[in-house]
């Protein structure tokens, strides 16, 4: 049996930071329940110090959800940690996620501090969080651009202070997969107590690498992945939950499994898109409208002969009823026949060829060919007109 990859969903925290995506507490509860149903292990429910609304949402989600760990974000600041702990008071399993910037940019220009002071603040934050909850995750913000010996030093120190999970964010989405994987490997090889904590990936998508980086992290030893539904999040977004989960399911060489009920993926994606008023791009992997739509004649013929000729995932596995064979001017006869058969009109040979020719003329002038168009084409043919 492969090792478990803990799925940490941050749709309600990092995802919800997107302008225009804000949810009220009731909507957040609906999302949290859907995430619980989907099988995520940890729900990052919010950043309680940031607003009374966020505080209240963490409280209400803690009451409404029982299986996943409920996580609350805080900076490495005492007041943040106290408020996070307070918001988690009803959680059956609560986790405080605290941390600080670790790259030269963050240390010098954001925190105006020194590496030594950053380590001290990290240790203090973890110890303080530990006085409220057993489960404390430390994030090393901007780890993707950190100096590796320093990163290893602070990670070793916070694990010693009691961190149960160490999160290695590529906050700016800067890394290439090989680089991100090498950071995780470096920590595995250079942090003496690394086996006492779970390493988490947390990747952003500024270069479109978030999923690839997350997978590289997992292949190099990370055992928690921080993800959002539909990949929503700051700027170009976070790693998509659906992409990571299905990549793992498709590739047995990745030595982990998840508890996600994949057949609930599509419904969850649509729920988030609707509530957050955030459309899913049509060509989005796994959940986009075109993810299982075939439009060129060669592909349509191939997929109708054998689904796996052009599909690596059975759409049912992610909750999509069936693949679609889209009728366009690039469609072949096999696609037309498929649609006519579905309408109960069985044509073969010369009659099919004639209808197909008329269909091509129509498809060149019209973007969407629907049932009405098909019936009219066949009707004309049947009438001999
Ligand atoms: O991207 C990031 O670094 C974060 C941390 C706060 C975990 O979201
Ligand atoms: Zn983030």
């Amino acid at each position: 049996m492969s090792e478990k990859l803990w799925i940490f969903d941050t749709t309600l925290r990092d995802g919800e930071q997107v302008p225009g995506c804000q949810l009220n507490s009731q909507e957040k509860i609906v999302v949290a329940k859907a995430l619980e149903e989907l099988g995520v292990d940890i729900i990052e429910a919010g950043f309680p110090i940031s607003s009374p609304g966020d505080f209240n949402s963490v409280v209400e989600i803690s009451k409404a959800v029982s299986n996943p760990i409920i996580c609350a974000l805080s900076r490495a600041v005492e007041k943040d940690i106290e408020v996070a702990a307070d918001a988690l008071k009803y959680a059956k399993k609560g986790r405080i996620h605290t941390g600080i910037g670790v790259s030269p940019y963050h240390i010098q220009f954001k925190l105006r501090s020194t590496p030594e002071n950053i380590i001290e603040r990290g240790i203090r934050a973890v110890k303080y969080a530990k006085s409220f909850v057993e489960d404390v995750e430390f994030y090393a913000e901007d780890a993707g651009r950190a100096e590796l010996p320093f990163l290893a030093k602070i990670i070793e120190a916070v694990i010693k202070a009691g961190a149960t999970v160490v999160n290695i964010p590529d906050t700016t989405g800067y890394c290439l997969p090989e680089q991100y994987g090498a950071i995780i490997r470096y920590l595995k090889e250079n942090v003496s107590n690394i086996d006492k904590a779970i390493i988490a990936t947390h990747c952003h998508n500024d270069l479109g690498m978030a999923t690839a980086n997350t997978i590289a992290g997992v292949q190099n030893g990370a055992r928690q992945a921080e993800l959002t539904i539909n990949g929503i999040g700051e700027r170009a977004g976070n790693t998509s939950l659906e992409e990571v989960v299905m990549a793992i399911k498709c590739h047995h060489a990745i030595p982990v499994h998840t508890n996600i009920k994949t057949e609930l993926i599509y419904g969850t994606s649509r729920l988030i898109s609707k509530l957050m008023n955030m459309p899913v791009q049509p060509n989005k992997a796994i959940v986009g409208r075109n993810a299982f739509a075939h439009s060129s004649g060669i592909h349509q013929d191939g997929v109708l002969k054998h689904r796996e000729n052009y599909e690596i995932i059975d759409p049912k596995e992610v909750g999509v009823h069936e693949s679609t064979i889209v009728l366009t001017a690039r469609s072949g006869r096999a696609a037309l026949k498929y649609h006519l058969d579905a309408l109960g009109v069985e044509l073969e040979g010369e009659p099919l060829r004639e209808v197909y020719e008329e269909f091509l003329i129509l498809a060149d002038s019209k973007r969407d060919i629907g049932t009405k168009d098909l019936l009219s084409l066949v009707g004309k043919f049947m009438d001999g007109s």
Side-chain angles (χ1 to χ4, degrees):
M1 184 69 168
S2 62
E3 280 182 60
K4 176 176 162 124
L5 177 69
W6 293 78
I7 299 296
F8 176 115
D9 182 279
T10 184
T11 305
L12 291 172
R13 201 278 299 168
D14 230 357
E16 212 246 354
Q17 288 176 209
V18 175
C21 280
Q22 277 64 42
L23 302 178
N24 62 37
S25 273
Q26 283 317 307
E27 290 168 329
K28 286 187 187 175
I29 291 169
V30 170
V31 171
K33 286 187 169 165
L35 293 172
E36 178 175 40
E37 192 61 29
L38 182 65
V40 310
D41 300 294
I42 303 114
I43 295 176
E44 188 163 47
F47 181 18
I49 191 94
S50 67
S51 74
D54 229 38
F55 178 89
N56 191 44
S57 297
V58 177
V59 172
E60 294 306 324
I61 290 170
S62 299
K63 290 181 190 164
V65 158
S66 40
N67 284 329
I69 294 168
I70 304 299
C71 180
L73 187 79
S74 75
R75 291 165 298 182
V77 171
E78 284 194 358
K79 186 70 190 159
D80 278 34
I81 294 169
E82 286 161 16
V83 174
D86 194 22
L88 288 171
K89 59 182 177 276
Y90 297 106
K92 278 111 209 138
K93 294 173 272 182
R95 173 184 296 179
I96 294 178
H97 187 191
T98 188
I100 196 159
V102 299
S103 67
Y105 289 101
H106 281 225
I107 297 172
Q108 205 181 331
F109 303 125
K110 179 179 138 178
L111 301 158
R112 298 186 205 290
S113 184
T114 61
E116 295 67 35
N117 181 255
I118 294 296
I119 294 182
E120 260 172 50
R121 285 163 72 176
I123 294 172
R124 227 181 306 131
V126 168
K127 285 191 172 161
Y128 195 49
K130 217 55 194 175
S131 70
F132 297 100
V133 289
E134 176 46 38
D135 191 2
V136 174
E137 175 169 341
F138 176 80
Y139 66 83
E141 193 179 8
D142 204 16
R145 295 187 298 171
E147 285 169 3
L148 291 184
F150 175 71
L151 182 63
K153 206 164 159 192
I154 191 165
I155 291 301
E156 183 150 332
V158 296
I159 294 175
K160 198 159 163 229
T164 45
V165 180
V166 285
N167 178 12
I168 312 300
D170 183 23
T171 304
T172 56
Y174 169 74
C175 290
L176 299 175
E178 221 172 279
Q179 292 170 321
Y180 189 74
I183 295 174
I184 305 299
R185 192 165 60 248
Y186 183 89
L187 295 176
K188 287 289 273 185
E189 289 169 358
N190 291 281
V191 173
S192 68
N193 53 3
I194 196 71
D195 291 337
K196 294 211 169 96
I198 292 173
I199 302 178
T201 65
H202 179 113
C203 299
H204 281 264
N205 206 30
D206 299 67
L207 293 174
M209 302 284 168
T211 297
N213 286 348
T214 299
I215 296 294
V218 171
Q219 283 175 313
N220 282 282
R223 287 296 175 264
Q224 176 176 294
E226 309 205 344
L227 312 163
T228 63
I229 303 292
N230 300 335
I232 62 162
E234 287 272 8
R235 307 180 309 278
N238 288 56
T239 310
S240 290
L241 181 145
E242 59 277 8
E243 293 177 10
V244 169
V245 167
M246 292 315 293
I248 287 168
K249 207 167 174 198
C250 288
H251 286 272
H252 298 291
I254 306 172
V256 293
H257 65 273
T258 77
N259 282 352
I260 296 297
K261 294 185 196 118
T262 61
E263 66 283 4
L264 299 182
I265 283 178
Y266 186 75
T268 312
S269 158
R270 285 302 174 269
L271 174 77
I272 302 295
S273 168
K274 188 160 168 250
L275 288 177
M276 291 193 158
N277 198 20
M278 184 82 165
V280 176
Q281 72 189 63
N283 60 327
K284 167 84 178 62
I286 317 296
V287 292
R289 175 165 38 90
N290 294 346
F292 299 99
H294 304 276
S295 58
S296 86
I298 295 170
H299 287 212
Q300 292 176 329
D301 183 51
V303 91
L304 287 170
K305 282 181 175 139
H306 194 295
R307 192 187 59 73
E308 287 176 55
N309 280 335
Y310 284 100
E311 281 183 356
I312 57 166
I313 295 168
D314 182 340
K316 288 188 183 60
E317 262 188 88
V318 295
V320 173
H321 181 55
E322 58 184 359
S323 327
T324 43
I325 302 290
V326 189
L327 286 177
T328 70
R330 305 290 152 260
S331 298
R333 233 175 296 181
L336 179 65
K337 180 164 170 42
Y338 168 81
H339 277 277
L340 291 177
D341 284 354
L343 292 173
V345 182
E346 286 180 20
L347 295 184
E348 302 276 357
E350 188 51 25
L352 178 63
R353 200 188 58 76
E354 277 182 38
V355 174
Y356 180 62
E357 269 168 25
E358 286 196 32
F359 158 79
L360 283 183
I361 294 166
L362 183 66
D364 261 338
S365 63
K366 199 165 186 274
R367 208 175 264 175
D368 293 314
I369 305 287
T371 304
K372 242 171 122 185
D373 298 308
L374 288 182
L375 287 174
S376 123
L377 277 177
V378 178
K380 272 200 261 170
F381 174 80
M382 295 294 195
D383 295 340
S385 51

